[in-house]
Amino acid sequence: MLSIDKLDVQLLGLLGKDSRMSVAELANSLGVARNTVQSRMKRMETSGLLTGFRPNLGLAEVGIPIQAFVGLELEQGKLTAVGNRLVDLPEVIEIHATTGREDLLVRVATSTHAELQKLLEKIANLPGITHSTTTIALTSPLPYRIQPLLEHLTDDSGWGRSTALPRSQR
């Protein structure tokens, strides 16, 4: 597990807002040397904390306004097989193995309700699925985020190993 501090969290926050910022821009915004930013990014990439720089797409803006969460109950021992089949469906955008009544929570996205219904029928007919429950997302008042959690986790940490807290942060 990688230990992060407030500087790492601020760096991740800047990247989260604009992943196209250059190392020089990041360093300037944080008030640290470019080498500091480069070494921290390299450390976070090497450890697996930072796994890439992806665009944050608005699905509705590209014509995919319907999102739903499908809870799936499975036959014993079928988790991997069902998961492998779900991965082959392009409308499946996330899969989580869960505890409780359902074994998998699957996030799907489609352009229309009719497409959603066809997808749900396709999923329900996969071998190994015994029951499904679907919840359609109407809005996303709080889309996926991580920054507040990281800030909370580093409340008691320092700001860099050998770097003093910038005057603007004191």
Side-chain angles (χ1 to χ4, degrees):
M1 184 175 89
L2 179 66
S3 176
I4 61 172
D5 59 24
K6 289 182 182 185
L7 178 57
D8 293 321
V9 171
Q10 289 179 354
L11 174 57
L12 290 168
L14 289 172
L15 289 170
K17 289 178 186 168
D18 182 0
S19 62
R20 296 174 295 181
M21 287 182 79
S22 70
V23 171
E25 291 171 316
L26 291 165
N28 187 47
S29 294
L30 294 168
V32 298
R34 289 178 53 194
N35 286 344
T36 301
V37 170
Q38 286 174 319
S39 66
R40 283 174 177 264
M41 287 179 63
K42 179 72 171 170
R43 180 176 52 90
M44 288 188 276
E45 289 171 356
T46 301
S47 72
L49 173 69
L50 190 57
T51 58
F53 300 91
R54 296 170 189 90
N56 189 7
L57 299 176
L59 292 177
E61 287 72 19
V62 294
I64 308 171
I66 311 297
Q67 289 189 56
F69 297 90
V70 184
L72 298 175
E73 293 178 46
L74 310 178
E75 294 174 12
Q76 284 292 105
K78 299 293 183 176
L79 184 77
T80 301
V82 170
N84 289 339
R85 287 185 180 98
L86 289 169
V87 167
D88 291 336
L89 301 174
E91 302 91 345
V92 172
I93 57 177
E94 249 180 322
I95 303 172
H96 300 273
T98 60
T99 62
R101 180 176 176 179
E102 288 135 354
D103 301 296
L104 292 176
L105 182 61
V106 182
R107 184 174 163 209
V108 300
T110 62
S111 297
T112 66
H113 286 100
E115 287 177 14
L116 176 61
Q117 184 174 352
K118 287 179 188 174
L119 175 63
L120 294 174
E121 289 171 5
K122 192 182 297 185
I123 290 172
N125 288 322
L126 291 175
I129 295 177
T130 59
H131 186 264
S132 69
T133 305
T134 302
T135 303
I136 296 176
L138 299 176
T139 64
S140 297
L142 179 63
Y144 177 82
R145 66 177 186 169
I146 192 75
Q147 193 66 24
L149 175 61
L150 293 176
E151 290 171 2
H152 173 73
L153 292 174
T154 58
D155 276 345
D156 297 330
S157 74
W159 195 85
R161 287 182 202 69
S162 62
T163 307
L165 190 64
R167 291 174 201 245
S168 63
Q169 302 271 332
R170 292 183 193 161

